[in-house]
Amino acid sequence: MRTARRYLAREIYRSCAVVLMALLGLFTFFALVDDLDNVGDKFSMMALLYMQALAIPTRLYDLLPIGLLIGAILALAGLAQRNELVILRVSGVSGMRLLRMLWVVTIPLMIGAALLSEYVTPWAEMKSGEANLMFRGKAGGDRLKSGYWFKEPTANGGTRIINITELKGDGQVAGVTLYEFKKDLTLTVLSTAPTGLFAHGDLVLKDVSETRLDPEASEALANARQPKNPPASVVKVPERTVDTTLSAERLLARILTPERMSIVTLLDYVDYLRNNQLQYGRQIVALWRKLAYPFTLLVMITIAAPIGLMQTRRGGVGAKVFLGILLGVGFFMLNQLALNVGMLGKWPAWLTALGPNIGAMTLALGAMTYMEYRHTITRIVQQRWPWSKTPA
């Protein structure tokens, strides 16, 4: 059986490689054509090619499950068409045993997918975000019209709110505004700086303009009396170092999709959001989805098994590939629907991430079981169906 397993692995790996190369080339070509209108003085053709090259690991991450599904169907359909699967079945390999062989074949792909998800894709996304900031001067993510907003506690028990208008590469930021509050949420200092830099766990601001509010001013104004000191004073500071929990990595994590982060970065960002009493449900769901990503490949090979093992007279290779594409797209849409519905309905994170996988795996195993024991199931149904019995 080792020889048969190696032969299956070679056929499936070769088909998956061809399908993934075709899909990657197609999507990269469409993205390249779509971005040609942005080429100009600041955004050159070389910059466009560089960014498209950085986008390849992310596209591979997204296309790998569908590529495995279509490639496995192609390989199994080819084996069935050449009657090689019939030879395996005649030699004593049952359908469920063949499925277990396919699971073993998928293990190296699952390991590679985990490495791609944990190391290659986050690195490429970080570099792509930095390149996007460098060449285009903009970034996506949770950006409001006023910029990016962050909240964190201060050393004296108060609260600091940081507003950053623009993120740049190498930890540099522009248009920084700090709002510092006391424990009772009374504003004490308003600081603005045109530029800043995150270095060694600190935020270094240049040319800072600090508006310091007199703590007795609000009480004096509330009692309708003139304060002893001016309500506010403006101080110019050439440089100010702020001890903050933010970092350049967390800034870039803000503009990345949570599924594109590594597990370590995602856990760090969740810890930051939890400590600052911010919502982190979306990140928890993304963490579960990343953990379930290698399992998705196992689901895809299980779906491909009953489709590829169908008899050729029930449909050619093209029909099987078309059915595989429909199932792959349907599974992707179901995943997105489960994510949105789960977030709105506040489902448990594990259910939102694993629900579609478990449902698809159950249906695929049911189809495989029916194909393996369909004659026995049909006979039992005919014997036990109420109106199939003739009256005495």
Side-chain angles (χ1 to χ4, degrees), residues 123-385:
W123 176 84
E125 281 291 308
M126 287 286 187
K127 292 296 181 181
S128 180
E130 292 178 354
N132 205 25
L133 290 170
M134 183 187 304
F135 296 132
R136 300 182 179 181
K138 63 179 182 179
D142 300 331
R143 189 186 191 282
L144 302 176
K145 197 171 183 180
S146 55
Y148 301 93
W149 293 84
F150 304 91
K151 173 188 172 186
E152 61 181 7
T154 57
N156 58 3
T159 303
R160 180 189 297 125
I161 295 178
I162 304 175
N163 173 235
I164 298 175
T165 304
E166 183 182 358
L167 303 181
K168 298 183 178 181
D170 300 327
Q172 299 182 17
V173 293
V176 183
T177 304
L178 303 182
Y179 302 87
E180 300 183 50
F181 299 86
K182 295 191 298 185
K183 291 183 179 180
D184 58 356
L185 298 181
T186 301
L187 182 63
T188 57
V189 180
L190 171 64
S191 305
T192 58
T195 60
L197 173 67
F198 284 92
H200 308 294
D202 296 326
L203 173 58
V204 181
L205 303 176
K206 301 288 186 180
D207 300 326
V208 184
S209 177
E210 294 186 353
T211 302
R212 300 175 181 176
L213 303 180
D214 184 18
E216 299 179 357
S218 58
E219 182 181 354
L221 294 174
N223 296 330
R225 59 182 177 84
Q226 185 172 354
K228 299 178 181 178
N229 302 318
S233 59
V234 180
V235 179
K236 298 290 184 179
V237 181
E239 180 178 301
R240 179 186 173 188
T241 300
V242 180
D243 183 15
T244 176
T245 56
L246 280 177
S247 62
E249 290 75 17
R250 287 176 175 175
L251 282 175
L252 285 176
R254 183 64 177 271
I255 67 177
L256 296 181
T257 306
E259 285 82 4
R260 302 292 185 260
M261 303 180 192
S262 65
I263 293 179
V264 176
T265 305
L266 198 54
L267 288 173
D268 176 70
Y269 194 53
V270 168
D271 185 63
Y272 165 77
L273 294 176
R274 183 189 291 113
N275 291 336
N276 291 283
Q277 299 178 355
L278 301 174
Q279 294 183 356
Y280 54 91
R282 176 71 177 85
Q283 284 72 23
I284 293 294
V285 173
L287 181 61
W288 275 97
R289 285 166 69 92
K290 285 189 69 68
L291 293 174
Y293 180 72
F295 177 66
T296 304
L297 301 183
L298 206 63
V299 175
M300 292 294 104
I301 200 71
T302 308
I303 295 174
I307 299 175
L309 295 178
M310 286 184 197
Q311 296 297 326
T312 309
R313 64 177 179 268
R314 299 184 183 179
V317 177
K320 294 179 181 180
V321 173
F322 180 71
L323 180 59
I325 294 174
L326 287 181
L327 289 175
V329 173
F331 181 78
F332 175 79
M333 295 177 63
L334 182 63
N335 250 330
Q336 293 301 117
L337 180 64
L339 173 62
N340 297 330
V341 174
M343 292 297 297
L344 291 175
K346 297 182 180 180
W347 294 356
W350 66 268
L351 180 61
T352 303
L354 296 176
N357 287 330
I358 295 174
M361 176 67 87
T362 303
L363 291 176
L365 287 175
M368 194 67 189
T369 304
Y370 175 76
M371 289 185 62
E372 181 70 10
Y373 305 104
R374 60 181 178 275
H375 298 298
T376 305
I377 294 174
T378 302
R379 187 172 62 252
I380 292 175
V381 170
Q382 289 176 350
Q383 291 176 354
R384 297 183 177 274
W385 207 251

Side-chain angles (χ1 to χ4, degrees), residues 45-117:
M45 189 66 186
M46 292 301 298
L48 174 60
L49 294 176
Y50 175 66
M51 292 196 64
Q52 290 301 322
L54 289 176
I56 288 177
T58 302
R59 292 197 184 99
L60 180 61
Y61 175 87
D62 293 331
L63 294 173
L64 184 56
I66 297 179
L68 175 60
L69 176 63
I70 299 174
I73 291 175
L74 273 175
L76 293 175
L79 293 175
Q81 201 171 33
R82 297 191 298 269
N83 295 323
E84 291 174 311
L85 288 180
V86 176
I87 297 174
L88 283 176
R89 299 296 295 271
V90 171
S91 64
V93 179
S94 64
M96 299 307 294
R97 186 174 182 183
L98 183 62
L99 179 60
R100 290 195 295 269
M101 292 170 63
L102 293 176
W103 285 349
V104 174
V105 167
T106 314
I107 290 177
L109 295 177
M110 295 172 64
I111 296 174
L115 296 176
L116 176 69
S117 172

